[in-house]
Amino acid sequence: MQTDTATKTTAEQRRAFYERMAPHHLAPLWEVLRGLITPEPRSDCRAALWRYDEVRPFLLESAEIISAREAERRVLVLENPGLPGQSRITTSLYAGLQLIMPGEVAPAHRHAQSALRFIVEGSGGFTAVDGEKTYMSPGDFVITPSWTWHDHGHEGEGPMIWLDGLDIPLVRALDCSFAEGYGEAAHPLTRPAGDSLARFGSGLLPVDYEPVSRTSPVFNYPYSRTREALEVMRRSKEWDPCHGLKVQYVNPASGDYAMPTIGAFMQLLPRGFGSEPYRSTDATVYSVVEGSGRTMIGEEILAWGPRDILVVPSWTRHWHQADTDAVLFSFSDRPVQKKLGLWREDRGNH
Amino acid sequence: MQTDTATKTTAEQRRAFYERMAPHHLAPLWEVLRGLITPEPRSDCRAALWRYDEVRPFLLESAEIISAREAERRVLVLENPGLPGQSRITTSLYAGLQLIMPGEVAPAHRHAQSALRFIVEGSGGFTAVDGEKTYMSPGDFVITPSWTWHDHGHEGEGPMIWLDGLDIPLVRALDCSFAEGYGEAAHPLTRPAGDSLARFGSGLLPVDYEPVSRTSPVFNYPYSRTREALEVMRRSKEWDPCHGLKVQYVNPASGDYAMPTIGAFMQLLPRGFGSEPYRSTDATVYSVVEGSGRTMIGEEILAWGPRDILVVPSWTRHWHQADTDAVLFSFSDRPVQKKLGLWREDRGNH
Amino acid sequence: MQTDTATKTTAEQRRAFYERMAPHHLAPLWEVLRGLITPEPRSDCRAALWRYDEVRPFLLESAEIISAREAERRVLVLENPGLPGQSRITTSLYAGLQLIMPGEVAPAHRHAQSALRFIVEGSGGFTAVDGEKTYMSPGDFVITPSWTWHDHGHEGEGPMIWLDGLDIPLVRALDCSFAEGYGEAAHPLTRPAGDSLARFGSGLLPVDYEPVSRTSPVFNYPYSRTREALEVMRRSKEWDPCHGLKVQYVNPASGDYAMPTIGAFMQLLPRGFGSEPYRSTDATVYSVVEGSGRTMIGEEILAWGPRDILVVPSWTRHWHQADTDAVLFSFSDRPVQKKLGLWREDRGNH
Amino acid sequence: MQTDTATKTTAEQRRAFYERMAPHHLAPLWEVLRGLITPEPRSDCRAALWRYDEVRPFLLESAEIISAREAERRVLVLENPGLPGQSRITTSLYAGLQLIMPGEVAPAHRHAQSALRFIVEGSGGFTAVDGEKTYMSPGDFVITPSWTWHDHGHEGEGPMIWLDGLDIPLVRALDCSFAEGYGEAAHPLTRPAGDSLARFGSGLLPVDYEPVSRTSPVFNYPYSRTREALEVMRRSKEWDPCHGLKVQYVNPASGDYAMPTIGAFMQLLPRGFGSEPYRSTDATVYSVVEGSGRTMIGEEILAWGPRDILVVPSWTRHWHQADTDAVLFSFSDRPVQKKLGLWREDRGNH
């Protein structure tokens, strides 16, 4: 019987066969199948924490090393310890801390990659997107949509620092990167500051509005507003056992995530809250806005305070403890996984 | 030839034929076709204006005639002059002015019909929807979604008056009315006031939120916020020739209209603005919030001031002149027409 | 107390008050509220049956009375017995039986109203829609979308008869009728017959296709294909207790109903099947394709055979018995009610 | 001035700085930015052709080496020459040729990865998906949706060969692989063969159907039907200058692509047709069904005949010449790129 014959081949016979076909760009699936299609998510991405007081001195030192203009973007990439040299914080996402000093300019460019900025320190800095400027304060969530001109500047005092999150590895996996420089430091301004927030972020849309993109037309979600909303919501005392009080930023023109490739979230853990274990398939980057506590990720305990950044890998059970009222910003590729029917979550310890 | 024969039948022969088949519930289309499928919209709906200073005394007098509790809802229906006795302001929509006096209660009920309230006068009144109370101020846009328990009350001083807009005639055309009383004056409160606006109206949604209805989960769009947004938007000096600066209320969970059957709009006409003619197939009810001016509707000139209400019939060319900065609220069945692929508009005089 | 005072007013006082305000186009809601917002659907629409052998002679006689060209459309309207003189079979829909004789032409026109044709008798007749002709056979479901040019002709022998279903009353309720004649009998043909079915109805769409309307680009759903599909499906022996085996026609470019305003359905009841009671808010018109049986509608029993037409009013409990294998076509305004969040159904007798 | 100072740092100073921060998992973006965000797609993926007569002998030989059961899936992976050892045919997709011999079984398993099968040779083989069997013939397009049990078998004569296309690299980039074996060779059958095609692929859907997944409920799109549709469509003589006559497989329940992560297309090039240059960001795998010709990809000329497989990298200008009527199946990650707002195309030579 054929099956019997087949299984009697020796390892050498097989190897010889593989070598003969390799020049034809053919390879035996059965030798790699288990590694390609794993029973559960299994990447090299690891849990990690960046303490802000450790990272900040390097960031400030970088201002001595290179100007924002020369660097184009003066950013220290947060490299996942399990993915060194790959400019990735998870398998699909990039993160870095960007610094801009008073008077500096990060010149105008655009790219297919979508970017979020989560402001960590400073005031007086601004991002201009497609002709509208927005000034940034800590806790603000700012978007530069795919293929929109954007530049950054700083009209205030002291360092201006934010967390950048981009979908660079995902765009690379899809092989569809595009980029171009504007040629000048700043793209011309065509709208007054605050216009997009008023126009799209007030429960209203322009009459008979048709969206031109999948990204939110609101490009700054100010922390003052987000924080106030959380305070109102906490009055109803509905705490999710895994998340405390957790919300996601949305595109008011669609009700979908604010960005098509990156989901962004804000979460309030009240003082003394200890969450139940949780895991989901979207590896997640956290930025601590307020408070302190710790997150248990598998066997690891990561203690955090304000401005620290941590990453939780895909499908890794984790839970939080808050010593004080804590506010955590986070982002992941959840919108992609949901759109593709791939996202899973798992609550508790079962 | 058959065709010739046919056309030679006399009017009497035809009438006799029609009479013979009538008992069989059959009727000749060709005798009514032109009236059923008209070249352009052609209903009995007419342009009309209700001056607030004329209507208000009747409304206050109604408080002497009947209590809110006895009336269930103490409302004077705004009947379109072309559709008397039909409780319709347009062919598809109902409008009325509702009065509630201090200490009164309009008892809890629910119905398939969706309702909007546009607040005209007073303070201290509230609407409670599905267990959450919202206090209402002039210019606020408040929704009671289909089949949600709601009641109204008044904890302040003086009369509380608002414009009700409902889809009663449309629901009748579809023959799908449902209603029930709650049995007690008020449905129990289960959420703090302001919860829904914070939770759904701040650029955020609860994590992994799935809408349970097509109506906005925000049920009060405060005028303070709408008005401020209009002021910010006007800085960009983009005036639509027909509409000035016009926005629509949206459901932040979908980007669609705030209500599935009624579209609601707010519009700023700057002092001295004269619009170009415009018409669309959605007959529209206007409520003047601020300012004065006039609207030319076909051959008619309707001069308006604060709190006046006017109606523009379907497909009737009209244009506005504003003597002062003017703010107009309006509503129509536009979402229905758009969803069904029936809506048309026409700009200018061609 | 105010409430007491109010309720002491006499009926005469109230009537006098109503008369004073009537000229101002104001009316008291409380006198009509119960009739406007009813606890359950409550229209004058009634159950009815049109026996084909009773109706057919009138239809044939109409060919002696008027030509298709003179009539524009030679149709006997099926008037709901509860809605006489209103050209309505339900509150929102129109139905009629159309006859075209060999060599006749129903000239090209278009209108905002959407139409379905369900073919009852004859062969060799055709409908042309936007430049493509389709020949029609009994059981075929043919669509003329809103605002598309269409004409009918007959190249075969004998009478060609079909059931027309249109959304005329709904379009009237929305006051957005438009119509125009083409000026010539037939609109020019620009595509070979069968093109749209091949292009859109084969599990394929043109590459990067973007729909231009909400109506299905397939405009003939042939009975041969529908019937064969039902036979394959019946092998899995899954019978819905209320519906037997029931499917709906879909727009392959959206998965939605084939028409935005009218849902169309086909249903197989196997010999001896007796359904459980069912009701829904969409009053429904049935056309019997094959078989015989009866439908109990409230207190009435309507016995039917091939080509008979019956109507079930909104929210009226009904159930079917099939003496033979029976195939029923049906249509209603369900897509409208679903889009607006108004549709309800109720299974069984609870 | 700070900027001047900064730019005067030497390469050594910078390198020293980089080395100090590396242990903190920090890296300078400015040293890698150009490689991360490229002006145009720039991967190692290369154009390549697999001639079926070269590949087939290896495939048949593999049956001597290993049984289908031992291999789980006996597949020769088509490795992109620019991405050796990575089991990828493009940066985001996997492809392989699978062989199953008479009487063999590829045992039941399921995985988060979606798979398509495009049948190349043989008859009598079947795929069973979630309890329904479908027999496969050359040109059929068969889907196994994410996380559905599936197994393959062969009840006919001679080798059964098909092209597998999976989203393995994409799922890896998102780190959300799941898989499990069923434990037995075959999952039990619960529906008659042909049920899903009849139920979902005939212009109909079950009444009030709500999709449970984003993948088409039709899982075999038979070539007989696709081919016939192409023949009907060609009568209208509309040839796209770049594509000839090109269609995509769709999910009839949504109008979207048949699979959420992979777009599949079929295309007819008439004899003598020479296309204009075209490029898009979705690297594409072609499988020749009928005919012969050649495709120019950048500087390369790849001549093809029936059953050959070729790959065109992202954003690479290419054009086709058909010596005979030619039919080409193709697939790519276009649905992903479109959902994420990343897809671009470019026609002609500008």
Side-chain angles (χ1 to χ4, degrees), chain A residues 199-217:
Chain A
R199 195 171 297 269
F200 304 107
S202 307
L204 310 165
L205 286 177
V207 67
D208 299 322
Y209 178 72
E210 297 293 339
V212 293
S213 115
R214 294 168 186 270
T215 305
S216 174

PDB file of all heavy atoms in Angstrom, chain A residues 199-217:
ATOM      1  N   ARG A 199     -15.780  70.853  14.502  1.00  0.00           N
ATOM      2  CA  ARG A 199     -16.575  70.435  13.349  1.00  0.00           C
ATOM      3  C   ARG A 199     -17.006  68.970  13.439  1.00  0.00           C
ATOM      4  O   ARG A 199     -18.094  68.601  13.022  1.00  0.00           O
ATOM      5  CB  ARG A 199     -15.751  70.667  12.079  1.00  0.00           C
ATOM      6  CG  ARG A 199     -16.499  70.634  10.773  1.00  0.00           C
ATOM      7  CD  ARG A 199     -15.605  71.093   9.595  1.00  0.00           C
ATOM      8  NE  ARG A 199     -15.169  72.471   9.722  1.00  0.00           N
ATOM      9  CZ  ARG A 199     -15.824  73.524   9.220  1.00  0.00           C
ATOM     10  NH1 ARG A 199     -16.932  73.339   8.526  1.00  0.00           N
ATOM     11  NH2 ARG A 199     -15.359  74.735   9.399  1.00  0.00           N
ATOM     12  N   PHE A 200     -16.128  68.135  13.973  1.00  0.00           N
ATOM     13  CA  PHE A 200     -16.397  66.694  13.944  1.00  0.00           C
ATOM     14  C   PHE A 200     -16.537  66.081  15.336  1.00  0.00           C
ATOM     15  O   PHE A 200     -16.994  64.960  15.459  1.00  0.00           O
ATOM     16  CB  PHE A 200     -15.280  65.974  13.189  1.00  0.00           C
ATOM     17  CG  PHE A 200     -15.062  66.476  11.798  1.00  0.00           C
ATOM     18  CD1 PHE A 200     -13.961  67.249  11.468  1.00  0.00           C
ATOM     19  CD2 PHE A 200     -15.996  66.187  10.798  1.00  0.00           C
ATOM     20  CE1 PHE A 200     -13.771  67.720  10.181  1.00  0.00           C
ATOM     21  CE2 PHE A 200     -15.806  66.653   9.510  1.00  0.00           C
ATOM     22  CZ  PHE A 200     -14.691  67.425   9.197  1.00  0.00           C
ATOM     23  N   GLY A 201     -16.125  66.809  16.365  1.00  0.00           N
ATOM     24  CA  GLY A 201     -16.074  66.205  17.692  1.00  0.00           C
ATOM     25  C   GLY A 201     -17.071  66.787  18.680  1.00  0.00           C
ATOM     26  O   GLY A 201     -16.826  66.750  19.884  1.00  0.00           O
ATOM     27  N   SER A 202     -18.192  67.302  18.188  1.00  0.00           N
ATOM     28  CA  SER A 202     -19.170  67.935  19.081  1.00  0.00           C
ATOM     29  C   SER A 202     -20.550  67.307  18.959  1.00  0.00           C
ATOM     30  O   SER A 202     -21.553  67.944  19.244  1.00  0.00           O
ATOM     31  CB  SER A 202     -19.256  69.436  18.757  1.00  0.00           C
ATOM     32  OG  SER A 202     -17.986  70.035  18.777  1.00  0.00           O
ATOM     33  N   GLY A 203     -20.608  66.070  18.498  1.00  0.00           N
ATOM     34  CA  GLY A 203     -21.911  65.423  18.318  1.00  0.00           C
ATOM     35  C   GLY A 203     -22.565  65.822  17.010  1.00  0.00           C
ATOM     36  O   GLY A 203     -23.728  65.517  16.770  1.00  0.00           O
ATOM     37  N   LEU A 204     -21.811  66.490  16.163  1.00  0.00           N
ATOM     38  CA  LEU A 204     -22.307  67.044  14.909  1.00  0.00           C
ATOM     39  C   LEU A 204     -21.382  66.628  13.779  1.00  0.00           C
ATOM     40  O   LEU A 204     -20.210  66.335  14.001  1.00  0.00           O
ATOM     41  CB  LEU A 204     -22.290  68.580  14.986  1.00  0.00           C
ATOM     42  CG  LEU A 204     -22.947  69.219  16.216  1.00  0.00           C
ATOM     43  CD1 LEU A 204     -22.543  70.677  16.337  1.00  0.00           C
ATOM     44  CD2 LEU A 204     -24.462  69.093  16.110  1.00  0.00           C
ATOM     45  N   LEU A 205     -21.900  66.651  12.574  1.00  0.00           N
ATOM     46  CA  LEU A 205     -21.064  66.535  11.379  1.00  0.00           C
ATOM     47  C   LEU A 205     -21.591  67.533  10.363  1.00  0.00           C
ATOM     48  O   LEU A 205     -22.772  67.889  10.397  1.00  0.00           O
ATOM     49  CB  LEU A 205     -21.131  65.126  10.785  1.00  0.00           C
ATOM     50  CG  LEU A 205     -20.384  64.003  11.519  1.00  0.00           C
ATOM     51  CD1 LEU A 205     -20.629  62.669  10.825  1.00  0.00           C
ATOM     52  CD2 LEU A 205     -18.876  64.277  11.568  1.00  0.00           C
ATOM     53  N   PRO A 206     -20.736  67.982   9.459  1.00  0.00           N
ATOM     54  CA  PRO A 206     -21.242  68.856   8.398  1.00  0.00           C
ATOM     55  C   PRO A 206     -22.411  68.179   7.678  1.00  0.00           C
ATOM     56  O   PRO A 206     -22.415  66.960   7.518  1.00  0.00           O
ATOM     57  CB  PRO A 206     -20.025  69.004   7.474  1.00  0.00           C
ATOM     58  CG  PRO A 206     -18.846  68.793   8.369  1.00  0.00           C
ATOM     59  CD  PRO A 206     -19.294  67.773   9.367  1.00  0.00           C
ATOM     60  N   VAL A 207     -23.379  68.955   7.282  1.00  0.00           N
ATOM     61  CA  VAL A 207     -24.583  68.393   6.669  1.00  0.00           C
ATOM     62  C   VAL A 207     -24.226  67.511   5.463  1.00  0.00           C
ATOM     63  O   VAL A 207     -23.389  67.870   4.643  1.00  0.00           O
ATOM     64  CB  VAL A 207     -25.566  69.527   6.275  1.00  0.00           C
ATOM     65  CG1 VAL A 207     -25.008  70.395   5.156  1.00  0.00           C
ATOM     66  CG2 VAL A 207     -26.918  68.960   5.929  1.00  0.00           C
ATOM     67  N   ASP A 208     -24.847  66.339   5.415  1.00  0.00           N
ATOM     68  CA  ASP A 208     -24.639  65.376   4.329  1.00  0.00           C
ATOM     69  C   ASP A 208     -23.168  65.016   4.117  1.00  0.00           C
ATOM     70  O   ASP A 208     -22.718  64.774   2.997  1.00  0.00           O
ATOM     71  CB  ASP A 208     -25.270  65.899   3.025  1.00  0.00           C
ATOM     72  CG  ASP A 208     -26.772  66.104   3.185  1.00  0.00           C
ATOM     73  OD1 ASP A 208     -27.406  65.281   3.857  1.00  0.00           O
ATOM     74  OD2 ASP A 208     -27.302  67.092   2.659  1.00  0.00           O
ATOM     75  N   TYR A 209     -22.438  64.977   5.226  1.00  0.00           N
ATOM     76  CA  TYR A 209     -21.000  64.647   5.218  1.00  0.00           C
ATOM     77  C   TYR A 209     -20.743  63.230   4.706  1.00  0.00           C
ATOM     78  O   TYR A 209     -21.392  62.285   5.117  1.00  0.00           O
ATOM     79  CB  TYR A 209     -20.482  64.779   6.652  1.00  0.00           C
ATOM     80  CG  TYR A 209     -19.028  64.425   6.828  1.00  0.00           C
ATOM     81  CD1 TYR A 209     -18.028  65.260   6.341  1.00  0.00           C
ATOM     82  CD2 TYR A 209     -18.654  63.267   7.498  1.00  0.00           C
ATOM     83  CE1 TYR A 209     -16.693  64.944   6.520  1.00  0.00           C
ATOM     84  CE2 TYR A 209     -17.313  62.945   7.682  1.00  0.00           C
ATOM     85  CZ  TYR A 209     -16.341  63.786   7.189  1.00  0.00           C
ATOM     86  OH  TYR A 209     -15.020  63.472   7.362  1.00  0.00           O
ATOM     87  N   GLU A 210     -19.786  63.107   3.804  1.00  0.00           N
ATOM     88  CA  GLU A 210     -19.326  61.793   3.358  1.00  0.00           C
ATOM     89  C   GLU A 210     -17.856  61.657   3.715  1.00  0.00           C
ATOM     90  O   GLU A 210     -17.030  62.437   3.242  1.00  0.00           O
ATOM     91  CB  GLU A 210     -19.478  61.644   1.831  1.00  0.00           C
ATOM     92  CG  GLU A 210     -20.895  61.699   1.314  1.00  0.00           C
ATOM     93  CD  GLU A 210     -21.744  60.516   1.750  1.00  0.00           C
ATOM     94  OE1 GLU A 210     -21.161  59.470   2.104  1.00  0.00           O
ATOM     95  OE2 GLU A 210     -22.975  60.638   1.749  1.00  0.00           O
ATOM     96  N   PRO A 211     -17.497  60.690   4.551  1.00  0.00           N
ATOM     97  CA  PRO A 211     -16.091  60.541   4.954  1.00  0.00           C
ATOM     98  C   PRO A 211     -15.181  60.302   3.753  1.00  0.00           C
ATOM     99  O   PRO A 211     -15.571  59.623   2.809  1.00  0.00           O
ATOM    100  CB  PRO A 211     -16.102  59.292   5.846  1.00  0.00           C
ATOM    101  CG  PRO A 211     -17.504  59.125   6.291  1.00  0.00           C
ATOM    102  CD  PRO A 211     -18.360  59.677   5.186  1.00  0.00           C
ATOM    103  N   VAL A 212     -13.996  60.861   3.798  1.00  0.00           N
ATOM    104  CA  VAL A 212     -13.041  60.648   2.722  1.00  0.00           C
ATOM    105  C   VAL A 212     -11.984  59.608   3.093  1.00  0.00           C
ATOM    106  O   VAL A 212     -11.194  59.198   2.263  1.00  0.00           O
ATOM    107  CB  VAL A 212     -12.337  61.959   2.315  1.00  0.00           C
ATOM    108  CG1 VAL A 212     -13.334  62.904   1.686  1.00  0.00           C
ATOM    109  CG2 VAL A 212     -11.669  62.616   3.523  1.00  0.00           C
ATOM    110  N   SER A 213     -11.971  59.209   4.336  1.00  0.00           N
ATOM    111  CA  SER A 213     -10.984  58.220   4.767  1.00  0.00           C
ATOM    112  C   SER A 213     -11.558  57.437   5.930  1.00  0.00           C
ATOM    113  O   SER A 213     -12.617  57.776   6.464  1.00  0.00           O
ATOM    114  CB  SER A 213      -9.681  58.920   5.153  1.00  0.00           C
ATOM    115  OG  SER A 213      -9.378  58.778   6.517  1.00  0.00           O
ATOM    116  N   ARG A 214     -10.846  56.375   6.323  1.00  0.00           N
ATOM    117  CA  ARG A 214     -11.311  55.565   7.446  1.00  0.00           C
ATOM    118  C   ARG A 214     -10.796  56.076   8.782  1.00  0.00           C
ATOM    119  O   ARG A 214     -11.068  55.499   9.817  1.00  0.00           O
ATOM    120  CB  ARG A 214     -10.844  54.117   7.242  1.00  0.00           C
ATOM    121  CG  ARG A 214     -11.489  53.461   6.060  1.00  0.00           C
ATOM    122  CD  ARG A 214     -10.813  52.155   5.719  1.00  0.00           C
ATOM    123  NE  ARG A 214     -11.354  51.595   4.504  1.00  0.00           N
ATOM    124  CZ  ARG A 214     -12.386  50.758   4.464  1.00  0.00           C
ATOM    125  NH1 ARG A 214     -12.949  50.377   5.572  1.00  0.00           N
ATOM    126  NH2 ARG A 214     -12.830  50.308   3.304  1.00  0.00           N
ATOM    127  N   THR A 215      -9.991  57.122   8.723  1.00  0.00           N
ATOM    128  CA  THR A 215      -9.437  57.668   9.959  1.00  0.00           C
ATOM    129  C   THR A 215     -10.321  58.803  10.457  1.00  0.00           C
ATOM    130  O   THR A 215     -10.924  59.518   9.670  1.00  0.00           O
ATOM    131  CB  THR A 215      -8.008  58.176   9.704  1.00  0.00           C
ATOM    132  OG1 THR A 215      -7.236  57.105   9.155  1.00  0.00           O
ATOM    133  CG2 THR A 215      -7.350  58.650  10.991  1.00  0.00           C
ATOM    134  N   SER A 216     -10.374  58.956  11.758  1.00  0.00           N
ATOM    135  CA  SER A 216     -11.189  60.005  12.365  1.00  0.00           C
ATOM    136  C   SER A 216     -10.803  61.384  11.842  1.00  0.00           C
ATOM    137  O   SER A 216      -9.624  61.718  11.774  1.00  0.00           O
ATOM    138  CB  SER A 216     -10.987  59.986  13.879  1.00  0.00           C
ATOM    139  OG  SER A 216     -11.663  61.073  14.469  1.00  0.00           O
ATOM    140  N   PRO A 217     -11.802  62.203  11.481  1.00  0.00           N
ATOM    141  CA  PRO A 217     -11.495  63.594  11.102  1.00  0.00           C
ATOM    142  C   PRO A 217     -11.123  64.464  12.316  1.00  0.00           C
ATOM    143  O   PRO A 217     -10.620  65.566  12.143  1.00  0.00           O
ATOM    144  CB  PRO A 217     -12.789  64.071  10.445  1.00  0.00           C
ATOM    145  CG  PRO A 217     -13.871  63.211  11.041  1.00  0.00           C
ATOM    146  CD  PRO A 217     -13.226  61.882  11.337  1.00  0.00           C
TER     147      PRO A 217
END
